[in-house]
Amino acid sequence: MDISIHASFLPHDDPDASLAFYRDALGFEVRTDVGQGKMRWITVGPVGQPGTSILLAPPTADPGITDDERRVIAEMMAKGTYGWILLATGDVDDTFEKVQASGAEVVQEPTDQPYGIRDCAFRDPAGNMVRIQERG
């Protein structure tokens, strides 16, 4: 089989703040931005990698979601337990400095993990965990 990852999905509750984080702090390009207000679907991705994207989407746009489910999603997003993504870079320390300088919420400074990975972590404006590891 020939299968690749085309897109991953992360929720947002403030499209402008999420756009600023992924575009300005991480340097991703904006590929699409449709909808209006808080009901926007924004596709971003690494420059030079058009086949890999992240879709930032309103998490409760599905009309089949109940009010209780909306409440649980909002609570999980506030705690940072609803969505996460793992990114990779050639220099995690340099990347950390640039993302931190943007004002992003730092969860973990660059650390050599006991399992052989050097990584750091941030929360995006919606509370999603964004871990960045150094390519080996």
Side-chain angles (χ1 to χ4, degrees), residues 43-124:
T43 305
V44 297
V47 174
Q49 297 180 43
T52 304
S53 299
I54 299 171
L55 175 61
L56 305 169
T60 58
D62 183 340
I65 294 177
T66 68
D67 288 341
D68 283 342
E69 291 167 331
R70 281 185 178 81
R71 181 186 49 76
V72 169
I73 290 169
E75 289 172 1
M76 290 179 71
M77 286 177 66
K79 290 186 341 186
T81 59
Y82 188 69
W84 70 280
I85 193 161
L86 176 60
L87 305 174
T89 184
D91 185 341
V92 76
D93 294 285
D94 182 59
T95 299
F96 175 83
E97 293 299 324
K98 289 176 182 171
V99 177
Q100 181 184 35
S102 77
E105 180 185 346
V106 175
V107 175
Q108 175 200 302
E109 293 188 5
T111 303
D112 291 320
Q113 300 294 351
Y115 43 86
I117 299 294
R118 182 165 179 78
D119 69 355
C120 64
F122 296 90
R123 285 204 197 288
D124 78 1

Side-chain angles (χ1 to χ4, degrees), residues 6-78:
H6 176 68
S8 181
F9 298 81
L10 287 176
H12 75 68
D13 53 5
D14 182 336
D16 291 323
S18 290
L19 182 60
F21 177 79
Y22 287 94
R23 180 193 59 212
D24 303 337
L26 292 179
F28 286 178
E29 63 185 6
V30 178
R31 299 190 177 142
T32 62
D33 185 346
V34 298
Q36 57 187 339
K38 288 196 172 210
M39 297 303 279
R40 285 167 58 195
W41 287 259
I42 304 166
T43 305
V44 297
V47 174
Q49 297 180 43
T52 304
S53 299
I54 299 171
L55 175 61
L56 305 169
T60 58
D62 183 340
I65 294 177
T66 68
D67 288 341
D68 283 342
E69 291 167 331
R70 281 185 178 81
R71 181 186 49 76
V72 169
I73 290 169
E75 289 172 1
M76 290 179 71
M77 286 177 66

